[in-house]
Amino acid sequence: MASPPVATAIRTPRTTQPTINVERLQGLLKQTLRVFVTDGRIFLGTFAGTDKQLNIILINTDEYRVGPEAGTDGADGRYVGQIMIPWRLVIRVESRLGGEPSRSYDDSDEESMYT
């Protein structure tokens, strides 16, 4: 008995150059991002990409809680691994300045290393 035909998608070659925004987004791949969400949590992880709806995908991610409800675990954070953060929950996204993870910073809270 013959197997049924398999539908395959034909990829058409890209005829236009990516826009500057796409190039900037590609430049963030494999960089550490700090993502603030509406419920007060902060996710710190490696940027793996986005989907069509612009949800953010992070890998090797730690979750931190800030504010009075954070408790004792908030400051230490917890490992959550690979996550997808819905774009509608994102308040702010920060990345390391220039993508240089080995650069040293003088201030103790390392605020100057994020843009």
Side-chain angles (χ1 to χ4, degrees), residues 5 7-8 14-16 23 26 32 38 44 47-48 66 69 72 75 98:
T8 57
R14 172 173 276 215
T15 57
T16 61
E23 288 176 357
Q26 287 174 339
T32 301
T38 55
L44 185 65
F47 180 57
V66 292
E69 68 278 350
T72 57

Side-chain angles (χ1 to χ4, degrees), residues 60-77:
N60 299 323
T61 307
D62 291 304
E63 173 193 38
Y64 297 90
R65 294 183 181 272
V66 292
E69 68 278 350
T72 57
D73 294 336
D76 296 334

